[in-house]
């Protein structure tokens, strides 16, 4: 088993996508690489803690590779906007890959170079990961009729998984 950490805007969206990828065995929404210890959602929403909303992705490397996860990551968010995904704005919504090995760092850099189209995704070593509050976990699956889910997440899932 391997672990990857991706930030691509609201973690509800990122989690919903990766939960549906074969070979992903577990996801967990959380916050990483900020200055505040044990931040809450309210803390990181100020944009002052330095954390990113991130999804920890555990995957079976026999069934899916890190490169394949990168393909999904870049296909399902806008990696060309600074600190923004749609109407979600702030440093907590930045596009970022928090690597746990030199191999992940190298593969991430190579993948971005190959895309060669204005990608501004941060590539940083994972420093610390704090799980988000329980109500953020499995959010889309537990709240499919919530307006944010209906307007943003459901169309993203339909677009990605129907093509």
């Amino acid at each position: 088993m391997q672990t990857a950490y991706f930030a691509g805007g609201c973690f509800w969206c990122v989690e919903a996508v990766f939960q549906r990828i074969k070979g992903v065995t577990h996801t967990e929404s959380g916050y990483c690489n900020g200055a505040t210890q044990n931040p809450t959602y309210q803390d990181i929403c100020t944009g002052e803690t330095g954390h990113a909303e991130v999804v920890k992705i555990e995957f079976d490397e026999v069934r899916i590779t890190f490169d394949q996860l990168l393909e999904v990551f870049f296909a399902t968010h806008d990696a060309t906007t600074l600190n923004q995904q749609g109407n979600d704005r702030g440093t907590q919504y930045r596009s970022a890959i928090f690597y746990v090995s030199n191999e992940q760092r190298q593969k991430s850099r190579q993948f971005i170079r190959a895309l060669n189209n204005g990608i501004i995704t941060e590539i940083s070593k994972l420093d610390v990961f704090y799980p988000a509050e329980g109500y953020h976990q499995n959010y889309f699956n537990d709240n499919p009729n919530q307006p944010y889910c209906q307007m943003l997440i459901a169309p993203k899932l339909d677009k990605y998984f129907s093509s």
Side-chain angles (χ1 to χ4, degrees), residues 3-126:
T3 305
Y5 294 84
F6 293 143
C10 175
F11 48 30
W12 298 342
C13 296
V14 177
E15 177 191 57
V17 168
F18 282 97
Q19 285 178 327
R20 287 154 177 78
I21 301 297
K22 290 182 177 150
V24 170
T25 59
H26 182 73
T27 60
E28 184 173 26
S29 293
Y31 319 112
C32 74
N33 284 34
T36 303
Q37 290 186 348
N38 299 306
T40 65
Y41 183 68
Q42 289 72 27
D43 293 335
I44 67 113
C45 282
T46 67
E48 296 176 10
T49 69
H51 293 88
E53 285 194 15
V54 68
V55 176
K56 175 182 177 182
I57 301 162
E58 294 176 8
F59 62 101
D60 179 349
E61 60 194 327
V62 173
R63 296 180 62 205
I64 189 165
T65 66
F66 184 73
D67 289 330
Q68 290 169 312
L69 292 178
L70 288 171
E71 289 176 21
V72 173
F73 176 65
F74 283 105
T76 56
H77 85 290
D78 183 353
T80 65
T81 56
L82 182 63
N83 300 328
Q84 178 182 348
Q85 290 295 306
N87 291 328
D88 292 329
R89 293 188 170 105
T91 57
Q92 68 271 27
Y93 299 117
R94 66 190 179 269
S95 174
I97 299 166
F98 297 98
Y99 63 86
V100 296
S101 68
N102 283 331
E103 180 183 14
Q104 284 186 1
R105 179 179 55 89
Q106 291 169 339
K107 287 180 179 226
S108 299
R109 287 183 177 171
Q110 289 170 348
F111 196 91
I112 290 171
R113 272 195 300 272
L115 289 175
N116 193 26
N117 61 353
I119 303 295
I120 59 169
T121 300
E122 169 188 342
I123 301 173
S124 297
K125 184 174 184 177
L126 179 74

